[in-house]
PDB file of all heavy atoms in Angstrom:
ATOM      1  N   VAL A  40       3.796  38.903  -5.528  1.00  0.00           N
ATOM      2  CA  VAL A  40       2.697  39.417  -4.649  1.00  0.00           C
ATOM      3  C   VAL A  40       2.097  40.628  -5.385  1.00  0.00           C
ATOM      4  O   VAL A  40       2.698  41.599  -5.531  1.00  0.00           O
ATOM      5  CB  VAL A  40       3.273  39.810  -3.297  1.00  0.00           C
ATOM      6  CG1 VAL A  40       2.143  40.376  -2.423  1.00  0.00           C
ATOM      7  CG2 VAL A  40       3.908  38.619  -2.604  1.00  0.00           C
ATOM      8  N   PRO A  55      -0.766  32.061  13.415  1.00  0.00           N
ATOM      9  CA  PRO A  55      -1.827  31.155  13.715  1.00  0.00           C
ATOM     10  C   PRO A  55      -1.868  29.904  12.880  1.00  0.00           C
ATOM     11  O   PRO A  55      -2.316  28.876  13.330  1.00  0.00           O
ATOM     12  CB  PRO A  55      -3.043  32.053  13.498  1.00  0.00           C
ATOM     13  CG  PRO A  55      -2.520  33.464  13.776  1.00  0.00           C
ATOM     14  CD  PRO A  55      -1.210  33.455  13.232  1.00  0.00           C
ATOM     15  N   LEU A  57       0.732  28.290  11.832  1.00  0.00           N
ATOM     16  CA  LEU A  57       1.714  27.361  12.496  1.00  0.00           C
ATOM     17  C   LEU A  57       1.131  26.752  13.729  1.00  0.00           C
ATOM     18  O   LEU A  57       1.319  25.502  13.926  1.00  0.00           O
ATOM     19  CB  LEU A  57       3.000  28.146  12.765  1.00  0.00           C
ATOM     20  CG  LEU A  57       4.095  27.309  13.526  1.00  0.00           C
ATOM     21  CD1 LEU A  57       4.558  26.146  12.679  1.00  0.00           C
ATOM     22  CD2 LEU A  57       5.335  28.263  13.857  1.00  0.00           C
ATOM     23  N   PRO A  65      -0.407  16.643  14.277  1.00  0.00           N
ATOM     24  CA  PRO A  65      -0.036  15.549  15.119  1.00  0.00           C
ATOM     25  C   PRO A  65      -1.293  14.777  15.688  1.00  0.00           C
ATOM     26  O   PRO A  65      -1.279  13.575  15.808  1.00  0.00           O
ATOM     27  CB  PRO A  65       0.708  16.177  16.307  1.00  0.00           C
ATOM     28  CG  PRO A  65       1.304  17.404  15.664  1.00  0.00           C
ATOM     29  CD  PRO A  65       0.279  17.849  14.711  1.00  0.00           C
ATOM     30  N   ASN A  80       6.091  -3.013  10.877  1.00  0.00           N
ATOM     31  CA  ASN A  80       5.192  -2.303   9.922  1.00  0.00           C
ATOM     32  C   ASN A  80       5.779  -2.241   8.527  1.00  0.00           C
ATOM     33  O   ASN A  80       6.968  -2.119   8.329  1.00  0.00           O
ATOM     34  CB  ASN A  80       4.963  -0.861  10.404  1.00  0.00           C
ATOM     35  CG  ASN A  80       3.905  -0.772  11.508  1.00  0.00           C
ATOM     36  OD1 ASN A  80       3.286  -1.763  11.834  1.00  0.00           O
ATOM     37  ND2 ASN A  80       3.762   0.385  12.133  1.00  0.00           N
ATOM     38  N   ARG A 109     -10.290  38.161  10.559  1.00  0.00           N
ATOM     39  CA  ARG A 109     -11.575  38.957  10.474  1.00  0.00           C
ATOM     40  C   ARG A 109     -11.257  40.333   9.788  1.00  0.00           C
ATOM     41  O   ARG A 109     -10.115  40.775   9.789  1.00  0.00           O
ATOM     42  CB  ARG A 109     -12.131  39.168  11.844  1.00  0.00           C
ATOM     43  CG  ARG A 109     -12.620  37.925  12.499  1.00  0.00           C
ATOM     44  CD  ARG A 109     -13.603  37.262  11.629  1.00  0.00           C
ATOM     45  NE  ARG A 109     -14.317  36.136  12.198  1.00  0.00           N
ATOM     46  CZ  ARG A 109     -14.951  35.196  11.512  1.00  0.00           C
ATOM     47  NH1 ARG A 109     -15.020  35.316  10.228  1.00  0.00           N
ATOM     48  NH2 ARG A 109     -15.546  34.221  12.091  1.00  0.00           N
ATOM     49  N   LEU A 113      -5.463  43.931  11.774  1.00  0.00           N
ATOM     50  CA  LEU A 113      -4.404  44.952  11.421  1.00  0.00           C
ATOM     51  C   LEU A 113      -3.258  44.186  10.765  1.00  0.00           C
ATOM     52  O   LEU A 113      -2.743  43.185  11.321  1.00  0.00           O
ATOM     53  CB  LEU A 113      -3.932  45.665  12.687  1.00  0.00           C
ATOM     54  CG  LEU A 113      -4.898  46.591  13.354  1.00  0.00           C
ATOM     55  CD1 LEU A 113      -4.251  47.192  14.606  1.00  0.00           C
ATOM     56  CD2 LEU A 113      -5.371  47.705  12.359  1.00  0.00           C
ATOM     57  N   PRO A 128      -8.501  46.124   4.409  1.00  0.00           N
ATOM     58  CA  PRO A 128      -9.699  45.279   4.194  1.00  0.00           C
ATOM     59  C   PRO A 128      -9.444  43.866   4.720  1.00  0.00           C
ATOM     60  O   PRO A 128      -8.296  43.496   5.036  1.00  0.00           O
ATOM     61  CB  PRO A 128      -9.882  45.320   2.690  1.00  0.00           C
ATOM     62  CG  PRO A 128      -9.194  46.566   2.261  1.00  0.00           C
ATOM     63  CD  PRO A 128      -7.979  46.699   3.162  1.00  0.00           C
ATOM     64  N   LEU A 146       6.870  16.720   2.543  1.00  0.00           N
ATOM     65  CA  LEU A 146       8.233  16.310   2.322  1.00  0.00           C
ATOM     66  C   LEU A 146       9.067  16.227   3.591  1.00  0.00           C
ATOM     67  O   LEU A 146       9.849  15.284   3.855  1.00  0.00           O
ATOM     68  CB  LEU A 146       8.910  17.267   1.326  1.00  0.00           C
ATOM     69  CG  LEU A 146       8.362  17.270  -0.101  1.00  0.00           C
ATOM     70  CD1 LEU A 146       9.054  18.319  -0.996  1.00  0.00           C
ATOM     71  CD2 LEU A 146       8.431  15.907  -0.759  1.00  0.00           C
ATOM     72  N   ALA A 147       8.884  17.236   4.484  1.00  0.00           N
ATOM     73  CA  ALA A 147       9.697  17.328   5.658  1.00  0.00           C
ATOM     74  C   ALA A 147       9.269  16.193   6.656  1.00  0.00           C
ATOM     75  O   ALA A 147      10.179  15.574   7.195  1.00  0.00           O
ATOM     76  CB  ALA A 147       9.474  18.707   6.294  1.00  0.00           C
ATOM     77  N   VAL A 148       8.034  15.984   6.872  1.00  0.00           N
ATOM     78  CA  VAL A 148       7.618  14.958   7.837  1.00  0.00           C
ATOM     79  C   VAL A 148       8.011  13.582   7.373  1.00  0.00           C
ATOM     80  O   VAL A 148       8.559  12.754   8.091  1.00  0.00           O
ATOM     81  CB  VAL A 148       6.120  15.049   8.167  1.00  0.00           C
ATOM     82  CG1 VAL A 148       5.617  13.899   9.045  1.00  0.00           C
ATOM     83  CG2 VAL A 148       5.753  16.349   8.866  1.00  0.00           C
ATOM     84  N   TYR A 214      17.159 -25.032  13.645  1.00  0.00           N
ATOM     85  CA  TYR A 214      16.785 -24.638  12.319  1.00  0.00           C
ATOM     86  C   TYR A 214      17.438 -23.311  11.938  1.00  0.00           C
ATOM     87  O   TYR A 214      17.302 -22.317  12.660  1.00  0.00           O
ATOM     88  CB  TYR A 214      15.233 -24.489  12.271  1.00  0.00           C
ATOM     89  CG  TYR A 214      14.669 -24.029  10.926  1.00  0.00           C
ATOM     90  CD1 TYR A 214      14.692 -24.899   9.806  1.00  0.00           C
ATOM     91  CD2 TYR A 214      14.143 -22.731  10.787  1.00  0.00           C
ATOM     92  CE1 TYR A 214      14.221 -24.437   8.565  1.00  0.00           C
ATOM     93  CE2 TYR A 214      13.671 -22.251   9.554  1.00  0.00           C
ATOM     94  CZ  TYR A 214      13.686 -23.162   8.439  1.00  0.00           C
ATOM     95  OH  TYR A 214      13.207 -22.774   7.232  1.00  0.00           O
ATOM     96  N   SER A 258       3.570 -14.732  33.029  1.00  0.00           N
ATOM     97  CA  SER A 258       2.673 -13.582  33.239  1.00  0.00           C
ATOM     98  C   SER A 258       3.212 -12.496  34.098  1.00  0.00           C
ATOM     99  O   SER A 258       2.702 -11.372  34.009  1.00  0.00           O
ATOM    100  CB  SER A 258       1.292 -14.117  33.802  1.00  0.00           C
ATOM    101  OG  SER A 258       1.532 -14.723  35.044  1.00  0.00           O
ATOM    102  N   ILE A 288     -11.766 -10.923  16.850  1.00  0.00           N
ATOM    103  CA  ILE A 288     -12.083 -11.841  15.809  1.00  0.00           C
ATOM    104  C   ILE A 288     -10.969 -11.806  14.775  1.00  0.00           C
ATOM    105  O   ILE A 288     -10.540 -10.671  14.395  1.00  0.00           O
ATOM    106  CB  ILE A 288     -13.353 -11.485  15.115  1.00  0.00           C
ATOM    107  CG1 ILE A 288     -14.532 -11.363  16.144  1.00  0.00           C
ATOM    108  CG2 ILE A 288     -13.728 -12.484  14.031  1.00  0.00           C
ATOM    109  CD1 ILE A 288     -14.866 -12.698  16.821  1.00  0.00           C
ATOM    110  N   LEU A 291      -9.416 -13.921   8.286  1.00  0.00           N
ATOM    111  CA  LEU A 291      -8.459 -14.597   7.497  1.00  0.00           C
ATOM    112  C   LEU A 291      -8.364 -14.067   6.076  1.00  0.00           C
ATOM    113  O   LEU A 291      -7.499 -14.510   5.259  1.00  0.00           O
ATOM    114  CB  LEU A 291      -8.742 -16.123   7.451  1.00  0.00           C
ATOM    115  CG  LEU A 291      -8.802 -16.811   8.834  1.00  0.00           C
ATOM    116  CD1 LEU A 291      -9.035 -18.293   8.583  1.00  0.00           C
ATOM    117  CD2 LEU A 291      -7.498 -16.625   9.593  1.00  0.00           C
ATOM    118  N   PRO A 295      -5.127  -5.331   2.372  1.00  0.00           N
ATOM    119  CA  PRO A 295      -4.700  -3.954   2.704  1.00  0.00           C
ATOM    120  C   PRO A 295      -5.366  -2.858   1.933  1.00  0.00           C
ATOM    121  O   PRO A 295      -5.301  -1.658   2.295  1.00  0.00           O
ATOM    122  CB  PRO A 295      -3.170  -4.005   2.459  1.00  0.00           C
ATOM    123  CG  PRO A 295      -3.026  -5.038   1.453  1.00  0.00           C
ATOM    124  CD  PRO A 295      -4.073  -6.081   1.763  1.00  0.00           C
ATOM    125  N   GLY A 369     -17.360 -22.451 -28.845  1.00  0.00           N
ATOM    126  CA  GLY A 369     -17.630 -22.143 -27.437  1.00  0.00           C
ATOM    127  C   GLY A 369     -16.464 -21.365 -26.863  1.00  0.00           C
ATOM    128  O   GLY A 369     -15.454 -21.088 -27.554  1.00  0.00           O
ATOM    129  N   GLY A 384      -6.528  -7.175 -36.355  1.00  0.00           N
ATOM    130  CA  GLY A 384      -6.756  -7.556 -35.027  1.00  0.00           C
ATOM    131  C   GLY A 384      -5.527  -8.205 -34.388  1.00  0.00           C
ATOM    132  O   GLY A 384      -5.195  -7.981 -33.225  1.00  0.00           O
ATOM    133  N   PHE A 398      -9.805   1.977 -20.611  1.00  0.00           N
ATOM    134  CA  PHE A 398      -9.645   3.182 -19.761  1.00  0.00           C
ATOM    135  C   PHE A 398     -11.028   3.719 -19.392  1.00  0.00           C
ATOM    136  O   PHE A 398     -11.220   4.306 -18.342  1.00  0.00           O
ATOM    137  CB  PHE A 398      -8.868   4.278 -20.448  1.00  0.00           C
ATOM    138  CG  PHE A 398      -7.358   3.990 -20.520  1.00  0.00           C
ATOM    139  CD1 PHE A 398      -6.690   3.785 -21.694  1.00  0.00           C
ATOM    140  CD2 PHE A 398      -6.628   3.958 -19.314  1.00  0.00           C
ATOM    141  CE1 PHE A 398      -5.345   3.535 -21.778  1.00  0.00           C
ATOM    142  CE2 PHE A 398      -5.273   3.671 -19.370  1.00  0.00           C
ATOM    143  CZ  PHE A 398      -4.630   3.490 -20.586  1.00  0.00           C
ATOM    144  N   MET A 430     -10.607 -17.544  -6.105  1.00  0.00           N
ATOM    145  CA  MET A 430     -11.583 -16.520  -5.972  1.00  0.00           C
ATOM    146  C   MET A 430     -11.098 -15.290  -5.174  1.00  0.00           C
ATOM    147  O   MET A 430     -11.676 -14.263  -5.226  1.00  0.00           O
ATOM    148  CB  MET A 430     -12.831 -17.067  -5.337  1.00  0.00           C
ATOM    149  CG  MET A 430     -13.603 -18.056  -6.225  1.00  0.00           C
ATOM    150  SD  MET A 430     -13.997 -17.403  -7.850  1.00  0.00           S
ATOM    151  CE  MET A 430     -15.226 -16.183  -7.404  1.00  0.00           C
ATOM    152  N   VAL A 445       3.350  -8.208 -15.797  1.00  0.00           N
ATOM    153  CA  VAL A 445       4.667  -7.610 -16.043  1.00  0.00           C
ATOM    154  C   VAL A 445       5.773  -8.641 -15.796  1.00  0.00           C
ATOM    155  O   VAL A 445       6.944  -8.392 -16.162  1.00  0.00           O
ATOM    156  CB  VAL A 445       4.947  -6.372 -15.098  1.00  0.00           C
ATOM    157  CG1 VAL A 445       3.990  -5.325 -15.454  1.00  0.00           C
ATOM    158  CG2 VAL A 445       4.812  -6.775 -13.671  1.00  0.00           C
ATOM    159  N   LEU A 477       3.203  -0.061 -13.110  1.00  0.00           N
ATOM    160  CA  LEU A 477       2.990   0.779 -14.283  1.00  0.00           C
ATOM    161  C   LEU A 477       4.277   1.125 -14.969  1.00  0.00           C
ATOM    162  O   LEU A 477       4.362   1.157 -16.241  1.00  0.00           O
ATOM    163  CB  LEU A 477       2.280   2.082 -13.816  1.00  0.00           C
ATOM    164  CG  LEU A 477       0.824   1.866 -13.349  1.00  0.00           C
ATOM    165  CD1 LEU A 477       0.279   3.198 -12.811  1.00  0.00           C
ATOM    166  CD2 LEU A 477      -0.085   1.456 -14.557  1.00  0.00           C
TER     167      LEU A 477
END
Side-chain angles (χ1 to χ4, degrees):
V40 180
L57 177 61
N80 279 354
R109 292 307 186 195
L113 292 179
L146 295 176
V148 172
Y214 177 70
S258 61
I288 306 294
L291 301 183
F398 286 116
M430 294 304 292
V445 296
L477 290 172

